[in-house]
Amino acid sequence: MQFRGGPWMSLVPLAVFIVGTAGLVIAGAPKVEGMIVVAMVGISLGLVLARRPGHYTDRVFALMADRTAAVAIVAWLWAAMFSSILRESGLVEAIVWVGANLQLTGAAFTVLTFVSAALFAVTVGTGVGTTIGFTGVIYPAGIVLGANPAALLGAILSGAALGDNLAPISDTTIVSAATQETDVAGVVRSRLKYVLIAAAISCVLFAVVGGSRAEIDVQQAQDLIAQNKADPKGLPMLIPAAIVFFVALIGRNFLGALTVGLASALVIGPLCGVFPLEQVFRVTADRTVEGSAVDGAMSVVSLCVLTLLLVTAMGLMAESGLLERLMAWLDRKVARGVRGAEATMVALVSVANLCVSVNTVAMITVGPLANRLRKRHGIHPYRSANLLDTVSCSFPYVLPYGAPVVAAIATQQDLAKQYAFVEVLPWTQLAPYIFYGLLLFPLMIVAVLTGYGRKAG
């Protein structure tokens, strides 16, 4: 494919997207819908620069049928449906109920919050959802139980990051595996070595700094939890979640694992009185379709569309010959060996996360380039997937404009209107306590420099 001005002009669609998205971040509106429009503008400009517009248009249509995008989209649709059913079944309230009944206070409660948030996030695969759900219930209760407010909120965000990093149904896990042309199960198994190190260190740190000198009032905390309707009714939904995690982990077909999970959820939920089937899918009197399954599937449609556009933009660069030129330059200047190639991947995905702020989009943007790098240097796809995902679950959970951090601060502001003892913490006070997110980036730097985990992915 030829462009006016040479192969470098094929970079225009992706460059427009990156610059436009950075502008959205600066404007405080890093929404996927806005990114879609920016990506469309970039691809349209590519058409103007193409020497043969008709051929360019044909290739755009063909590139949108890319298998990597198709795999990610199918996985997202099924995973989002499953995740939505679990979220709306009251699972977060059930996990909170269990934690509250252990009657822990101070630093011990902060550690429990981290573990509970991580469990829920691994179960449903959503970092932002975990942040909102746990902050709304756990945060005010933990304050009156003597937890350090900043450490408590850091524990919630850390647990959310861990789940986003590890969950088989997390969008980051799915896209990291898809862009590196490998399986989700193997990626999750190989990622445990990094997750467990960061989680263990985080637990120790929360145990050390998680308490405060605030007066402990167990009865007030129980009343707060009761007001948020925390009860054990949703606990049976841990069974479908465990089924999906186990089936995915042993290497079975990912789509099959989600299908089995969905089927078990639709049996266990109504049978145990957790929810009626109408909550999952129903046709209303005004002939609209509603339900948690519908909400889940529709929640990822925008991301699916953006994925198609970004994969197309990267494909245009490949067909112009620019990617090969770029790879040759990297081989000469930077990625001269395996360690250099891995360091390049970390640098690329770090810059993408700083500019884009939505970690899934950042990985989609640089994933194809990372895949080419790992093939040229014989790097295992599990390894490159782990580098992309682990770095991408670090920045969004510590940056002030990351979606989970923004959600946590917004929820704090709502709670401050309800409870006089809740103080809205500024990002500068909160960030030092997001231990899991802070640990991931240096951990991967050490892994690249030492080769830790390289052979096994």
Side-chain angles (χ1 to χ4, degrees), residues 263-339:
S264 62
L266 294 178
V267 171
I268 293 172
L271 191 64
C272 296
V274 179
F275 59 79
L277 281 176
E278 291 78 13
Q279 180 178 310
V280 176
F281 186 90
R282 61 186 176 275
V283 179
T284 64
D286 57 354
R287 298 181 182 179
T288 59
V289 179
E290 298 177 349
S292 55
V294 179
D295 295 339
M298 291 302 100
S299 69
V300 295
V301 169
S302 296
L303 186 57
C304 292
V305 173
L306 182 58
T307 299
L308 292 175
L309 294 170
L310 289 179
V311 167
T312 300
M314 291 297 297
L316 294 171
M317 292 169 59
E319 297 215 355
S320 72
L322 178 60
L323 278 187
E324 283 305 318
R325 290 191 181 191
L326 183 58
M327 296 301 298
W329 180 84
L330 287 172
D331 285 341
R332 291 195 310 271
K333 301 294 184 179
V334 184
R336 297 180 179 179
V338 172
R339 184 178 297 159

Side-chain angles (χ1 to χ4, degrees), residues 111-200:
V111 174
L112 174 67
T113 297
F114 169 60
V115 174
S116 300
L119 172 63
F120 180 75
V122 168
T123 300
V124 301
T126 170
V128 174
T130 300
T131 301
I132 295 172
F134 272 75
T135 303
V137 180
I138 284 286
Y139 186 63
I143 291 175
V144 299
L145 285 174
N148 178 342
L152 185 61
L153 203 53
I156 294 171
L157 284 163
S158 293
L162 190 156
D164 200 6
N165 191 199
L166 185 64
I169 63 173
S170 165
D171 54 358
T172 59
T173 302
I174 291 169
V175 79
S176 67
T179 58
Q180 303 310 295
E181 300 179 293
T182 191
D183 61 291
V184 169
V187 167
V188 171
R189 287 196 301 270
S190 67
R191 191 167 294 158
L192 279 169
K193 65 173 74 69
Y194 311 111
V195 171
L196 293 178
I197 291 173

